[in-house]
């Protein structure tokens, strides 16, 4: 039997976190939804349970949620990003951080002083844990519908083994994962979400995404 993997989602009570939890639900996967308020996490888990027939789903405070996880997804608005990473620092050793955060101000992308959300997280954590950027360009709307096709996921980061592991997680949710290069590329992938938001506005959609062509996969 395959070993169970545990994935914590910090800010897992929100749009991306709840949708991702539903997609991750599978035999051998334990998803822990984290929140600033443990009771809120438990309530959200109860609301999701009718839709989850496989795997294990639990709700906890963010710091508790990450304790037993091998993968920690950061799914909070950019405003809370640096603080939540700093709050979790010291708890993340040996884990892989999947940062999905897009720096947005009033719906518009911007490049934060560290260069990207990924680089900001890595700067705060230092050598404690590798940070891998992923899932920025996937819509929660598609994620929450198990039958909806997903866009491609561009995965970047400076740790090759961590990136490979994250690509494995992405494939589990039914998306194609592409190694999009080093952490220095993250600002482009994060900013691309700003373009997708504009496309959604212009073309009256809610789930524009990206597709990579020209690569045999
Ligand atoms: N929605 C999407 O389709 C999508 C797709 C790709 C990437 N993203 C990115 O993923 C992140 C989450 O997006 P979302 O739409 O899920 O956001 P959201 O629903 O607005 O927020 C997610 C959760 O973050 C927590 N939170 C809110 N403000 C916070 C703060 N200041 N500090 C710490 N935690 C805070 C809340 O949980 P508690 O109150 O329970 O703590 C909230 O439920 C964003 O950075 C977004 O750019 C979103």
């Amino acid at each position: 039997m395959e070993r169970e993997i545990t994935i914590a989602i910090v800010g897992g009570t929100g749009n991306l976190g709840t949708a991702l939890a539903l997609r991750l639900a599978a035999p051998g996967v334990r998803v822990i939804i984290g929140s600033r308020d443990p009771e809120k996490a438990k309530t959200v888990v109860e609301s999701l349970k009718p839709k989850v027939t496989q795997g294990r789903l639990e709700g906890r405070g963010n710091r508790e949620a990450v304790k037993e996880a091998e993968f920690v997804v950061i799914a909070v608005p950019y405003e809370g990003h640096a603080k939540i990473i700093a709050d979790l620092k010291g708890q993340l050793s040996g884990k892989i951080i999947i940062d999905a955060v897009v720096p947005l101000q009033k719906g518009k992308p911007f490049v934060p002083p560290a260069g990207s959300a990924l680089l900001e997280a890595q700067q705060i954590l230092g050598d404690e844990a590798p940070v891998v950027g992923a899932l920025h360009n996937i819509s929660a709307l598609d994620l929450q519908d198990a039958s909806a096709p997903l866009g491609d996921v561009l995965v970047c980061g400076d740790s090759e083994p961590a990136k490979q592991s994250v690509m494995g997680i992405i494939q589990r949710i039914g998306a194609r994962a592409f190694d999009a290069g080093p952490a220095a590329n993250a600002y482009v992938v994060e900013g691309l979400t700003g373009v997708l938001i504009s496309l959604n506005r212009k073309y009256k959609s809610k789930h524009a995404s990206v597709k990579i062509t020209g690569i045999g996969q």
Side-chain angles (χ1 to χ4, degrees), residues 10-19 33-38 40-41 44 60 62 73-84 87 99-104 117 134-143 190 193 197 206:
V10 171
T13 56
N15 297 315
L16 180 64
T18 50
I33 290 208
S35 168
R36 291 167 293 180
D37 171 2
K40 180 177 170 188
V44 167
R60 300 189 187 167
N62 284 323
V73 180
I74 307 296
V76 302
Y78 178 74
E79 305 84 83
H81 180 254
K83 183 175 183 307
I84 204 95
D87 286 350
D99 200 321
V101 171
V102 177
L104 292 171
L135 293 166
H136 310 93
N137 312 136
I138 287 271
S139 145
L141 207 64
D142 289 339
L143 270 180
E190 293 171 10
T193 302
I197 292 169
K206 287 185 176 154

Side-chain angles (χ1 to χ4, degrees), residues 80-142:
H81 180 254
K83 183 175 183 307
I84 204 95
I85 301 282
D87 286 350
L88 294 173
K89 189 175 176 174
Q91 307 278 311
L92 300 174
S93 177
K95 306 174 192 300
I96 293 174
I97 314 307
I98 305 175
D99 200 321
V101 171
V102 177
L104 292 171
Q105 216 162 34
K106 295 187 181 153
K108 295 203 174 107
F110 69 98
V111 179
S116 65
L118 186 164
L119 287 170
E120 180 177 273
Q122 195 69 76
Q123 219 171 66
I124 295 167
L125 293 178
D127 291 338
E128 181 171 327
V131 184
V132 175
L135 293 166
H136 310 93
N137 312 136
I138 287 271
S139 145
L141 207 64
D142 289 339

